[in-house]
Amino acid sequence: MTSVPVRPDGRVVTPYDPDESEGAWSVIRRGIKASPPLRRGLGLTAAMGVSVALGQLAVPVLIQQALDSGGLTEANEVDIDAVTRLVAIVVGIVVLAAFANWRTQRRLVSRAEETLYHLRTTAFAKVHRLSVADHNDTSKGVLLARVSSDVEALAQFVNWGFFIWVTNPVLVLGMFCVLAYYSVPLALVVALTLAPAVPLMRWVQRRQLAANDLHRTAVGAMLGSFSEAVTGAAVIRAYGAQDRQANFLRRSIDTRYRTKIRANRYMALVFVISDLFASLAFALVLIIGVRYRDALGLGAGELVASLFLVTLIAGPISTLSEVLDQTQSAVSAWRKILHLIDAAVDVADPEPGLVAPPGPVRIEVENLVFSYRVGGRVLDGVSVSIPPGTNVAVVGETGSGKTTFAKMLCRLADPDTGSIRLNGIELSELSAASRLATVRMVPQDGFLFDASVGENIRFGRPAASDAELDAAIDLLELRWWIDRLPFGLASPAGERGGNLSVGERQLVALIRAALADPGLLILDEATSAVDPETDAALTAAIRRLSEGRTLISIAHRLATAESADTVMVFDRGHLAQIGSHAELVVQPGIYARLHRAWTGATRT
Amino acid sequence: MLGLGVRLVYRMYRMHPVAASIAVVGSLITALGIVGSTIVIGRVTDSVVLPAFDDGSTVTSSDVLWGVAAVIAIAVVRSAGTVMRRYYAGMTTQQVERSLRERLSRYYLGLPMEFHQRSMAGRLIAHADNDTMMATHVLDPVPFTLGVVFLMVFAAISLVAVDLLVASVALLIFPAMYVINRIYTSQVERPTAAVQASVGRVSAIAHESFDGALVVKTLGRAHDEEVRFGSASARLRSFRVQVGNIRAVFEAVLDAMPSLGIAAVVLIGAHRIRAGAMTPGELVQVTSLFTLLSFPMRVFGYFLEMVPLSVVSHRRLQTVWSESLPEIPTAAEPRISGGDGPARLQVADLTYTYPTVARLDDADEASLGVTVAPGPTDVNDNRPTLTEVSFEVAEGEIVAIVGGTGAGKSTLCSLIAGLIEPSSGTVEIDGVSVAGLDPTHRTGQVALVFQESFLFADSIAENIALGEPDHRRLRHAIEIAAAAGFVDELPDGVYSVVGERGVTLSGGQRQRIALARALYRRPRLIVLDDATSAVDPIIEQQILAALRSELDVTAVIVAQRLSTIELADRVVYLDGGTVAEVGIHSELLSHPGYRALVEAYQEAAV
């Protein structure tokens, strides 16, 4: 039994819809907690900030010292020895800081990459743990984004923004410390002058972020129309819809352009704000420093160094503000990834779990209820007991729940209520390995991996020997088909199995299942796309294959139902009828109606 | 590589010269502003700050105010330059991206179907997305980089004006920084390209793995998939760490160099000031110039880093443009003048061989000396799918195409509809070759409904009409396609949006929408490529009966079910890409292969 995971605030957690209202700090805290490699680098991070700041602060201090103690203000007061000593010290500091900078960056890079690797692989593993219900409700693109573009957004941040966050605040703080050392009032003047720049920059930035959101939506729409132009290429050409698609494309490309330009407008402004305010601070320091030099107890070198610092201070501040944008998209990406990682798994495998004995499977289903998150109940109170070794056909209209029933028998999702027992063992208590060895489903959609046909078959049982593989092919009498492939078993299946026809992909899936040798075999219209002749030949082969196991076939044609021991008729999520073909065909009801239609359709 | 980058930038700037020029002018102003501000700092030191500390009386408040005014004026000019540069540089990049994308879309829509058959969809979409972005990436730092060149010139002039000896420090340091930058970029070039390729590899694996999530689950391969994804991610990590380590060295060195230069300047400056050859203010001017220059020097490095990425990405785009766009036939081209009635179809000596599918972008990676993951080898199976196929379909006739898996039925359908061009032989409608027809004219005559139905992410009405719908025709098409039942039950009826995030339709429902799309156009020849395979047999019978009674159309139907075949006037039996038999179903039953194929279900059921 599963309950939908719920947050403490009562919101339902789904793996595809993160809570956007969660604050940045909360995300960062959770993120650090979820990423052990990140925690180990924090001390180093501080060391790096200090070392970089030291290297940069050495310069203005050198100038001040050279002017004040080196006597550079007057030609006749110059003390070459003192200046040489100062320069030597500064060179030493700069070289040491550079060395520290190098070492800490190195360490940080490997920490950060380890974190990203950890995050990416954890998220990937999580996707495969989500139940089939989650996969149904979530677009593949969204899941893909979590392990690719979202992690890339974080990676970009780690490669640039993160360093800025580490070094620049320390640098700005250091500059203020040096300023305050020369003169506290001057430091205050600078701080007060620069202070209004911060809310101003934030204001511009908020507009930039809003503009960026619009831009991202526009990018999605544009990729959508490109994707249609490519995947729908045949339809577009067959129906002369080129102009229509061209219009969509032109519009979406232009919208993307205009939203980007708008976002750029704000970006161009952010950078100069701090520069302008720093110039104002420069002017104020100059006026106040010159007029009140005695009251402030300033030396000439100190004032020059202060002015120098003020010209430098705008740089790190505006860089920080630039990085903020990147930081925000990184945080939002991080939030999404963490959300996926934290989403509860509906179908958790028991550890260690029970092991079912080999051989045909007895199935007992009691009061099975299941609903997807969207779209209401799919199965509503299904109960059935199937003796081991039975050949069962499942029939019903599209949407009657027959495929969902099959999926639940191999635990692609857990029921809302009710139970499924195989050989007396609750399905959810079987270990993953035992479940796989016991139950095998051949889905209708024969998805293949971009590997050879032989490798794709072997995915059914990687440990199988060549002889076993050959035996499976021969059992299904499909040798002729393998021989017809350009390179036999070594023929590449292509992207998603694209080198093979839909029917051929189903053949691979079928051999795969034969190789796995399960006690319960479930065929979901597994031969719906092969030609009638092959299909008929396969029917005989499948009958042989089903010896010594329980077979459940979702029927796409009459013969399957006619030759089954038991027929289950599904209607709107209920098990409407059950019995042998001979019994059901004379009973008034769905099956009789269906049978009449079928025979009418296939035998005029 | 740098030469290629410069040529690329030149070509892109020529596409949108106005915005590019404004951006360059902006960067010129910024450069002047930066050098100007260092001169002001020096002047202010000499004529305001130091005299004030000397004896205190020679500095008037007007001197101070002049200094303040100069500082602020320079800051305003510099900021204006920066805004100009940044805004217009961004605009240039975006304008170029827009042009590239528009060009891509012209090619994607204009190139023949054969192009899409041999290209991978994911790659074509990547061209419009990431590749375009990367190709123009090099433009972003260009105005700033040009600004840096101006800056160097102005800085050199201002330094020489101050003192030759001090200028020589700059003349040593700046070229040294440039050289270090070059070394850096050449060192990271390969690992960076490897990072790019690994990123692609990682998302390709995720894409495949998530697409086949159901199969991964039913096969219990989640762990193997994790291992596969994990090793690709580990490669990506190690390339990134490699780049990061190289960068750590150079960042540290490049960060330290201006400071070391300043230390040298101070030492030399002390000697020169003692000799009376230089003022303290000039020393301050030079040091602040060194400090302000360190960032622009880095941008120069950024530009060098972008060059190889952009060149490679642009090369990828060029693979599309190297295709030749077919000329659109003019009105003078042949037209079919068969009126509104059903069409006559003649297929003569038709032979077709599929083009070879191009694999991966290994060529691009190889050009950078990087091998990421070996892709499976090419299948160069050059056997023709169809060989010398000939048959005729009379006006208003319904012909069934029957054949085993891989007999070439779908290929034949695409050829009849003019989607692909025959390797040899002809397809003629009313005596006019389909291959030479104006596409708009052609699609008004023939409608092909595919085995796998494709729906646009749009409303049902839009999907059927592909434009402003005529409601009576729309209703009629929906009814004949037996789609009225479920369409009317949808919350927004024909205005319900279908597609990835929209209404989920079953396979049979999608097929019926696709069929309605064909019927809506009232074609003279309709080709159904197993287009009702997912539709219930009862409904299929309804559809075909309606097709026959309600519409005046010639039909070619790829059929599997016996009932469908029996509905046809004649049957073309394809076997291994050739016509094995043509005739009436009952006659063809004497052919053992045909009999075995169409009666297979009956035999099995007995």
Side-chain angles (χ1 to χ4, degrees):
Chain A
M1 231 181 291
T2 36
S3 55
V4 182
V6 171
R7 268 187 192 295
D9 59 8
R11 252 196 269 229
V12 174
V13 180
T14 54
Y16 50 96
D17 217 7
D19 175 12
E20 290 290 341
S21 64
E22 185 184 4
W25 282 115
S26 154
V27 172
I28 292 168
R29 258 201 311 279
R30 273 204 303 146
I32 291 173
K33 222 159 112 188
S35 311
L38 207 58
R39 280 201 297 268
R40 274 180 280 141
L42 287 180
L44 276 170
T45 312
M48 168 168 170
V50 172
S51 68
V52 171
L54 269 182
Q56 304 229 347
L57 286 173
V59 168
V61 176
L62 166 69
I63 289 161
Q64 177 262 323
Q65 286 290 322
L67 287 173
D68 285 350
S69 355
L72 289 192
T73 45
E74 289 292 338
N76 48 8
E77 288 172 14
V78 174
D79 178 352
I80 291 289
D81 286 346
V83 172
T84 310
R85 259 199 314 281
L86 273 173
V87 166
I89 292 168
V90 165
V91 167
I93 291 174
V94 169
V95 170
L96 273 179
F99 182 78
N101 187 355
W102 169 51
R103 294 309 304 177
T104 47
Q105 268 212 47
R106 256 186 89 96
R107 297 281 300 269
L108 271 176
V109 163
S110 67
R111 286 273 181 283
E113 289 304 327
E114 207 179 321
T115 307
L116 290 175
Y117 169 79
H118 180 249
L119 212 54
R120 201 194 290 271
T121 49
T122 315
F124 180 89
K126 188 56 178 268
V127 169
H128 280 307
R129 279 200 191 97
L130 293 175
S131 78
V132 76
D134 284 325
H135 277 278
N136 253 23
D137 296 348
T138 315
S139 106
K140 301 279 180 217
V142 168
L143 293 176
L144 181 61
R146 294 296 170 273
V147 301
S148 55
S149 57
D150 286 339
V151 179
E152 285 312 302
L154 257 184
Q156 283 215 336
F157 169 71
V158 164
N159 276 313
W160 188 55
F162 185 63
F163 289 119
I164 305 283
W165 274 112
V166 169
T167 55
N168 284 26
V170 183
L171 192 55
V172 173
L173 200 70
M175 285 174 171
F176 272 109
C177 286
V178 175
L179 268 179
Y181 175 75
Y182 296 147
S183 158
V184 174
L186 275 189
L188 279 177
V189 166
V190 173
L192 287 175
T193 319
L194 287 177
V198 176
L200 195 59
M201 281 192 289
R202 297 295 305 132
W203 181 77
V204 174
Q205 227 145 25
R206 265 196 297 278
R207 316 213 122 225
Q208 191 198 337
L209 281 179
N212 274 348
D213 276 346
L214 284 180
H215 173 63
R216 264 190 289 276
T217 312
V219 170
M222 184 197 75
L223 290 181
S225 30
F226 263 108
S227 172
E228 277 189 350
V230 171
T231 52
V235 168
I236 288 169
R237 279 161 185 72
Y239 289 88
Q242 281 96 335
D243 287 346
R244 172 182 183 273
Q245 200 63 31
N247 263 334
F248 279 156
L249 277 166
R250 201 175 314 117
R251 232 178 304 150
S252 67
I253 292 170
D254 193 58
T255 308
R256 187 207 167 277
Y257 166 80
R258 276 182 292 109
T259 51
K260 183 71 190 176
I261 289 293
R262 209 178 148 73
N264 272 356
R265 194 159 67 201
Y266 298 114
M267 202 188 79
L269 277 179
V270 166
F271 199 75
V272 299
I273 293 175
S274 61
D275 201 14
L276 284 172
F277 276 86
S279 301
L280 198 63
F282 184 95
L284 288 174
V285 168
L286 183 61
I287 295 170
I288 296 168
V290 168
R291 176 150 305 171
Y292 303 106
R293 59 193 177 274
D294 297 331
L296 293 170
L298 274 178
E302 284 174 342
L303 182 54
V304 171
S306 299
L307 287 172
F308 201 88
L309 278 169
V310 173
T311 59
L312 290 185
I313 214 162
I317 292 179
S318 52
T319 317
L320 264 182
S321 78
E322 292 227 308
V323 173
L324 218 82
D325 167 40
Q326 201 196 25
T327 309
Q328 259 158 351
S329 52
V331 166
S332 127
W334 208 2
R335 181 192 291 129
K336 288 178 188 160
I337 301 167
L338 289 174
H339 189 83
L340 170 65
I341 292 176
D342 288 349
V345 177
D346 289 1
V347 182
D349 286 319
E351 289 292 341
L354 302 174
V355 176
V361 173
R362 165 191 302 282
I363 306 167
E364 286 150 304
V365 175
E366 258 171 59
N367 202 20
L368 189 65
V369 175
F370 180 76
S371 35
Y372 289 112
R373 291 216 178 82
V374 277
R377 282 199 175 172
V378 186
L379 290 175
D380 197 356
V382 174
S383 298
V384 68
S385 176
I386 299 169
T390 318
N391 181 346
V392 182
V394 179
V395 298
E397 288 183 5
T398 312
S400 61
K402 54 186 180 190
T403 295
T404 307
F405 176 70
K407 282 179 177 171
M408 304 207 73
L409 288 182
C410 44
R411 214 183 165 214
L412 292 178
D414 277 343
D416 299 348
T417 61
S419 81
I420 299 170
R421 282 194 302 276
L422 304 183
N423 285 339
I425 303 171
E426 193 67 43
L427 179 58
S428 58
E429 283 167 18
L430 272 185
S431 75
S434 172
R435 192 181 67 233
L436 273 169
T438 312
V439 191
R440 207 33 89 81
M441 172 163 133
V442 182
Q444 186 176 11
D445 160 37
F447 177 92
L448 298 187
F449 290 91
D450 191 5
S452 76
V453 170
E455 283 168 294
N456 265 293
I457 293 174
R458 221 177 258 281
F459 286 152
R461 187 155 61 96
S465 68
D466 287 350
E468 284 170 313
L469 199 141
D470 283 337
I473 294 168
D474 291 334
L475 179 66
L476 290 169
E477 291 181 342
L478 286 171
R479 178 65 57 196
W480 62 274
W481 171 67
I482 300 285
D483 290 342
R484 218 181 60 182
L485 295 172
F487 302 102
L489 283 174
S491 311
E495 208 184 357
R496 281 167 200 68
N499 291 355
L500 305 181
S501 74
V502 184
E504 287 176 313
R505 280 177 239 165
Q506 291 188 333
L507 297 184
V508 174
L510 216 54
I511 306 173
R512 199 188 256 169
L515 185 65
D517 191 23
L520 168 57
L521 179 61
I522 303 167
L523 307 179
D524 181 6
E525 305 196 7
T527 57
S528 57
V530 291
D531 65 85
E533 192 178 7
T534 312
D535 194 7
L538 280 173
T539 307
I542 289 168
R543 204 172 297 155
R544 273 197 302 284
L545 180 63
S546 71
E547 273 163 33
R549 31 185 141 245
T550 309
L551 173 71
I552 294 186
S553 334
I554 295 179
H556 62 283
R557 55 196 187 79
L558 191 64
T560 316
E562 285 176 343
S563 63
D565 303 326
T566 306
V567 180
M568 291 173 74
V569 185
F570 276 85
D571 182 43
R572 290 159 203 257
H574 297 276
L575 178 56
Q577 287 176 295
I578 182 164
S580 73
H581 165 73
E583 287 163 24
L584 291 182
V585 80
V586 294
Q587 245 176 48
I590 299 175
Y591 187 75
R593 209 163 60 231
L594 221 69
H595 182 258
R596 267 199 308 280
W598 271 99
T599 42
T602 50
R603 295 169 200 164
T604 320
Chain B
M1 201 39 114
L2 188 59
L4 288 175
V6 170
R7 263 213 299 283
L8 184 64
V9 168
Y10 176 71
R11 265 164 65 183
M12 289 179 168
Y13 267 21
R14 283 242 323 243
M15 288 163 78
H16 296 283
V18 176
S21 314
I22 300 177
V24 171
V25 170
S27 72
L28 184 69
I29 295 174
T30 313
L32 278 171
I34 289 177
V35 174
S37 65
T38 63
I39 293 173
V40 169
I41 290 175
R43 285 285 154 80
V44 165
T45 306
D46 272 347
S47 54
V48 181
V49 179
L50 295 181
F53 283 88
D54 226 12
D55 42 34
S57 55
T58 55
V59 180
T60 63
S61 30
S62 82
D63 286 338
V64 176
L65 285 182
W66 270 115
V68 166
V71 166
I72 289 178
I74 285 277
V76 169
V77 169
R78 195 173 57 193
S79 299
T82 306
V83 171
M84 248 169 96
R85 167 176 60 76
R86 299 193 117 212
Y87 183 65
Y88 284 98
M91 187 182 270
T92 313
T93 308
Q94 292 311 316
Q95 284 177 345
V96 172
E97 276 191 30
R98 182 172 63 177
S99 304
L100 294 179
R101 289 199 174 98
E102 278 171 353
R103 193 163 173 200
L104 278 177
S105 67
R106 269 203 308 283
Y107 274 77
Y108 287 179
L109 292 174
L111 286 173
M113 192 55 213
E114 177 261 346
F115 165 77
H116 287 278
Q117 282 169 345
R118 66 182 147 79
S119 317
M120 284 194 278
R123 187 175 168 173
L124 295 186
I125 294 165
H127 286 332
D129 186 17
N130 203 40
D131 288 343
T132 301
M133 230 155 72
M134 295 306 281
T136 58
H137 240 44
V138 72
L139 293 183
D140 287 333
V142 165
F144 206 150
T145 308
L146 285 175
V148 173
V149 175
F150 298 135
L151 199 57
M152 290 298 149
V153 175
F154 301 147
I157 294 169
S158 76
L159 283 171
V160 170
V162 169
D163 187 86
L164 263 178
L165 206 57
V166 168
S168 66
V169 175
L171 291 179
L172 281 176
I173 290 245
F174 293 155
M177 282 180 80
Y178 171 78
V179 170
I180 290 173
N181 253 322
R182 286 298 315 249
I183 297 173
Y184 168 51
T185 48
S186 71
Q187 294 244 332
V188 290
E189 196 172 306
R190 277 179 177 218
T192 308
V195 164
Q196 283 307 108
S198 304
V199 168
R201 181 90 197 127
V202 162
S203 62
I205 291 178
H207 193 177
E208 183 183 43
S209 191
F210 294 172
D211 245 9
L214 185 63
V215 173
V216 170
K217 257 180 207 302
T218 53
L219 292 178
R221 287 192 54 76
H223 179 70
D224 306 79
E225 288 296 289
E226 281 166 34
V227 170
R228 189 160 76 107
F229 184 78
S231 74
S233 305
R235 282 180 74 94
L236 171 59
R237 176 182 62 173
S238 78
F239 286 131
R240 278 241 169 87
V241 168
Q242 213 175 319
V243 171
N245 284 345
I246 297 171
R247 197 179 58 186
V249 175
F250 286 93
E251 291 259 324
V253 171
L254 288 171
D255 262 352
M257 288 202 51
S259 301
L260 293 176
I262 290 169
V265 164
V266 170
L267 195 59
I268 295 170
H271 286 278
R272 302 297 287 166
I273 290 173
R274 191 168 63 173
M278 203 174 153
T279 67
E282 283 169 339
L283 180 63
V284 171
Q285 176 192 336
V286 175
T287 49
S288 68
L289 187 62
F290 269 57
T291 321
L292 288 179
L293 276 180
S294 66
F295 180 63
M297 284 302 294
R298 304 298 286 279
V299 173
F300 201 72
Y302 181 63
F303 167 71
L304 294 176
E305 245 179 275
M306 285 338 309
V307 166
L309 286 182
S310 292
V311 168
V312 169
S313 301
H314 191 252
R315 220 177 267 161
R316 281 184 220 249
L317 299 183
Q318 279 171 323
T319 60
V320 175
W321 298 325
S322 64
E323 305 280 336
S324 48
L325 267 184
E327 302 232 343
I328 294 169
T330 52
E333 296 288 328
R335 297 179 76 85
I336 301 167
S337 48
D340 288 339
R344 178 166 48 91
L345 171 71
Q346 287 165 294
V347 175
D349 292 329
L350 201 60
T351 298
Y352 187 77
T353 309
Y354 271 95
T356 311
V357 175
R359 291 229 45 119
L360 288 175
D361 351 75
D362 288 341
D364 298 336
E365 270 88 49
S367 70
L368 286 168
V370 183
T371 44
V372 174
T377 41
D378 239 353
V379 198
N380 226 333
D381 185 6
N382 275 329
R383 286 179 289 186
T385 309
L386 290 176
T387 317
E388 296 183 355
V389 169
S390 302
F391 63 93
E392 281 188 31
V393 182
E395 289 91 341
E397 201 181 11
I398 296 186
V399 166
I401 309 272
V402 177
T405 306
K409 294 168 295 192
S410 294
T411 310
L412 180 58
C413 290
S414 295
L415 283 164
I416 292 174
L419 265 193
I420 49 179
E421 287 192 21
S423 308
S424 67
T426 54
V427 174
E428 288 180 356
I429 293 177
D430 293 339
V432 182
S433 170
V434 169
L437 286 180
D438 166 12
T440 342
H441 181 58
R442 188 190 70 222
T443 53
Q445 306 282 324
V446 199
L448 167 60
V449 189
F450 299 87
Q451 190 172 11
E452 289 172 63
S453 34
F454 176 86
L455 299 187
F456 296 92
D458 213 320
S459 71
I460 288 178
E462 180 69 34
N463 260 293
I464 294 173
L466 297 176
E468 199 50 49
D470 171 334
H471 284 276
R472 280 183 52 193
R473 263 167 77 177
L474 185 70
R475 194 67 213 168
H476 193 225
I478 289 177
E479 273 165 7
I480 295 184
F486 73 87
V487 169
D488 291 344
E489 273 179 28
L490 292 175
D492 299 318
V494 290
Y495 299 108
S496 306
V497 172
V498 296
E500 200 180 24
R501 292 299 244 172
V503 174
T504 334
L505 298 178
S506 75
Q509 291 169 337
R510 297 170 68 92
Q511 282 192 337
R512 282 179 268 170
I513 300 290
L515 180 64
R517 179 191 292 153
L519 298 175
Y520 179 85
R521 330 212 101 58
R522 305 215 168 130
R524 300 178 54 233
L525 169 64
I526 189 163
V527 184
L528 305 183
D529 180 9
D530 212 359
T532 47
S533 59
V535 177
D536 278 24
I538 316 161
I539 298 174
E540 187 190 31
Q541 286 301 301
Q542 275 175 29
I543 294 173
L544 294 176
L547 206 65
R548 178 139 243 185
S549 61
E550 302 256 333
L551 298 175
D552 201 11
V553 67
T554 307
V556 174
I557 302 175
V558 171
Q560 303 243 346
R561 291 174 182 148
L562 185 57
S563 52
T564 317
I565 298 170
E566 283 172 345
L567 203 85
D569 299 316
R570 277 189 310 141
V571 175
V572 173
Y573 170 41
L574 280 184
D575 188 21
T578 57
V579 176
E581 206 74 61
V582 181
I584 297 166
H585 168 66
S586 55
E587 290 171 11
L588 256 59
L589 285 174
S590 60
H591 191 291
Y594 179 77
R595 191 185 183 95
L597 187 64
V598 299
E599 295 200 335
Y601 284 155
Q602 276 61 40
E603 314 269 307
V606 174

